[in-house]
Amino acid sequence: MKMILFGAPGSGKGTQAARLEKRLSVPAISTGNILRAAIKNGEEMGLKAKAYVDAGQLVPDAVIIGIIKERLAKPDCENGFILDGFPRNIPQAEALEAQGVEIDKVLNIEVSDEEIERRLTGRRVCQRCEAPYHIADNPPKSEGVCDVCGGALIRRDDDSPETVRGRLRVFHESTEPLKGWYERKGKLVTVVARESVSDTSAAVLAALGLGAT
Ligand code: ADP
Ligand code: ZN
């Protein structure tokens, strides 16, 4: 299964990607996580990307396309993968095609802008392993501590209200046109996000024809 998880920032792509990764036994690849790791480790690519990420702008296509090309060449991608956060505009989708990658399905998670603003202000991520949480919708078992690795939960710099509005603008302008692009190829499957993570997961599995867990 080669799939793309598609949705606005804060639509819950990362949460669903983590669940699908276990269910499908293929790696979830998040360009956002790769960029944040490169920034944290002071890699050259991270230094180039940091200003864009902090401002909620798209990192230049050449950088992102290079990251994806390298990642998809690794042996764990042989049986499939779940892309989370890529492609984010039509040139990136065209680059994926040009690399000969055949995507099976694009799962589109629909959420309103108001709901996204509410979610992002409450979002927390593990500083160590990037596991996503929400203070109300998907709280960790112990406050401020990652269930997976015990790391500290933090609020991302780009989850500030002004940056969130900017990220939504970028989404509507640059990323949303991909819905029509993949729909015309007959690959788009749409799910409306539910209030709870588990209801959304169930809707996602049903939409993918995977049934209940
Ligand atoms: P979200 O989906 O919540 O905005 P991500 O972790 O996917 O968060 O992305 C965070 C930031 O990383 C983006 O705002 C952007 O600056 C950068 N980024 C991630 N993926 C891409 C991409 N495919 N193209 C360009 N920039 C990207
Ligand atoms: Zn963790």
Side-chain angles (χ1 to χ4, degrees), residues 126 129 146 149:
C126 174
C129 79
C146 177
C149 77

Side-chain angles (χ1 to χ4, degrees), residues 90 176-188:
I90 289 176
E176 214 165 17
L178 283 170
K179 280 200 270 191
W181 202 80
Y182 281 116
E183 187 155 44
R184 284 189 286 282
K185 293 178 189 287
K187 306 219 157 139
L188 196 75

Side-chain angles (χ1 to χ4, degrees), residues 98-118:
Q99 286 172 27
V101 175
E102 249 306 315
I103 295 296
D104 300 306
K105 271 180 189 156
V106 178
L107 186 92
N108 170 37
I109 306 178
E110 288 280 341
V111 190
S112 71
D113 284 11
E114 300 90 287
E115 172 67 5
I116 281 166
E117 293 192 27
R118 185 192 74 82

